[in-house]
Amino acid sequence: MIELTKIEEIEVLSNAVRACRICVEKPEKAPLPHEPRPVLQTSSTARICISGQAPGTRVHKSGRPFTDPSGDRLRSWMGIGEDVFYDPDLLAIVPMGFCFPGLDAKGGDLPPRPECRKVWHDRLFAAMPQIELILVIGQYAQAYHLGKARKGSLTETVAAWQTYFQESGRSDRPLVLPLPHPSWRNNSWLKKNPWFEAELLPVLQKEIARLVSRA
């Protein structure tokens, strides 16, 4: 049996994800309402990983993660530009759902497809042991990466960021920072929670700068 190198393993897995049609051909519930277009950015060297929800309509069209106003805000939060953000040597992006899940009756995005997490996520993160910091955006990513340690609500979870950050830093697991979604729909949340920009973002930007400088 031929053993794959780390780079080859990531490439094989990434290609398999991009070719995935499980949510159309063997869905757990109603099939994906359109052709799959999985979006992710994997790496054998990146020390930073972003784990969010799922692509929206703009990302589904572009095929590139965070090509929307949410991406602009997220990059601002991180203190980096597109040159770093889209460099797979520096940063991985593994959303909880790889394809745009479709819209609900009110015009909002449906939850990430559950098939993605069950089939791919454990394998992808096992293949990227060099990751040192994971930004978990939204409740689905936080539920996966924080497990039983996750607080009741998204606000409570993000408010407890220091606890997660310190506890993950004591183990051989990556550091974890929970974040709200950078959507402009969360403007009111940011106004109600000024500690996020005053306390959490400086730590986030310091960690990003530290890890990028080590590349």
Side-chain angles (χ1 to χ4, degrees), residues 16-27 34-36 38 120:
V17 171
R18 292 188 177 97
C20 182
R21 295 181 56 82
I22 292 173
C23 58
V24 171
E25 298 174 355
K26 296 181 180 180
H34 49 259
E35 275 297 296
W120 299 115

Side-chain angles (χ1 to χ4, degrees), residues 71-93:
D72 294 336
R73 172 173 270 174
L74 178 58
R75 287 183 283 274
S76 175
W77 284 354
M78 297 171 69
I80 59 175
E82 291 189 359
D83 57 333
V84 172
F85 192 85
Y86 291 115
D87 185 342
D89 290 336
L90 301 175
L91 193 142
I93 303 174

Side-chain angles (χ1 to χ4, degrees), residues 139 142 147-158 160 164:
Q139 60 177 325
Q142 290 165 8
K148 294 181 180 179
R150 178 176 173 264
K151 304 297 180 182
S153 70
L154 184 142
T155 298
E156 290 172 327
T157 300
V158 178
Y164 301 125

Side-chain angles (χ1 to χ4, degrees), residues 160-171 173-178 203:
W161 67 271
Q162 294 185 49
T163 300
Y164 301 125
F165 195 64
Q166 292 168 356
E167 288 181 353
S168 59
R170 295 195 190 104
S171 68
R173 295 175 300 170
L175 293 166
V176 175
L177 267 179
V203 173

Side-chain angles (χ1 to χ4, degrees), residues 1-18 40 42-45 120-130:
M1 183 175 179
I2 300 175
E3 287 192 17
L4 298 178
T5 67
K6 185 179 177 183
I7 295 175
E8 290 171 336
E9 183 181 7
I10 287 292
E11 185 175 355
V12 168
L13 269 174
S14 299
N15 288 338
V17 171
R18 292 188 177 97
L40 74 163
T42 55
S43 174
S44 62
T45 59
W120 299 115
H121 281 72
D122 288 355
R123 295 167 64 185
L124 282 166
F125 282 101
M128 295 190 291
Q130 82 284 351

